[in-house]
Amino acid sequence: MDAALRQFVRTRADNRCEYCRLPQHAVDGVLQIEHIMARQHGGGDEPENLALACDQCNLHKGPNLSAVDPDSSQVVQLFDPRRQIWIDHFYCRGAEIAGRTAVGRATARLLNMNSRFRVKLRAVLMAIGEW
């Protein structure tokens, strides 16, 4: 993957994790280029298969394409930032990210978006107007 493609993905995402929405300046390290469909499942380096992700979302997502909705216990596809709109599937309940849909609930749970650390970090960002 070349530097121009990496920059394109960062710019398109406005330097925010496309899953939990944390901005680059609020996370340790550099936001990572993530394959929505992992290479092991046939995903490639096309821009429509790439997303910007914080290390925690990327770590928890791994090669997964689906997860279990905690409300219905049904297996559903994970949120796809190239084909779906974040606000259609998630909303903030205070500093927590809640799912509006089965996709949102399953993704938030699998990616551990509401870990204690990330909720505290979002609360700080909200308090200073950066969320």
Side-chain angles (χ1 to χ4, degrees):
M1 188 179 317
D2 66 20
L5 180 56
R6 289 180 179 280
Q7 186 57 47
F8 171 79
V9 173
R10 288 186 177 289
T11 301
R12 178 180 64 192
D14 195 28
N15 278 314
R16 287 184 172 274
C17 175
E18 294 188 74
Y19 296 99
C20 74
R21 308 297 296 148
L22 285 175
Q24 172 63 71
H25 70 82
V27 299
D28 288 335
V30 177
L31 292 174
Q32 304 168 357
I33 307 296
E34 191 268 326
H35 289 83
I36 297 166
M37 179 182 291
R39 288 181 176 146
Q40 74 186 60
H41 296 304
D45 289 344
E46 305 80 24
E48 58 274 2
N49 188 47
L50 301 175
L52 196 60
C54 70
D55 63 335
Q56 291 301 299
C57 283
N58 199 12
L59 173 71
H60 286 94
K61 181 180 174 289
N64 291 303
L65 301 173
S66 61
V68 176
D69 170 20
D71 286 3
S72 69
S73 298
Q74 297 296 309
V75 175
V76 299
Q77 290 185 341
L78 292 174
F79 173 70
D80 181 336
R82 296 285 68 76
R83 293 174 181 81
Q84 297 169 313
I85 298 169
W86 196 90
I87 199 152
D88 289 347
H89 295 279
F90 305 98
Y91 67 98
C92 288
R93 183 175 50 220
E96 290 187 0
I97 294 175
R100 293 184 191 277
T101 65
V103 166
R105 291 186 298 269
T107 301
R109 182 178 181 200
L110 181 75
L111 275 56
N112 198 23
M113 289 181 182
N114 293 310
S115 69
R116 189 175 308 193
F117 171 76
R118 293 208 268 177
V119 170
K120 286 181 181 181
L121 179 56
R122 273 194 296 276
V124 169
L125 292 170
M126 288 174 170
I128 61 174
E130 293 188 14
W131 179 260

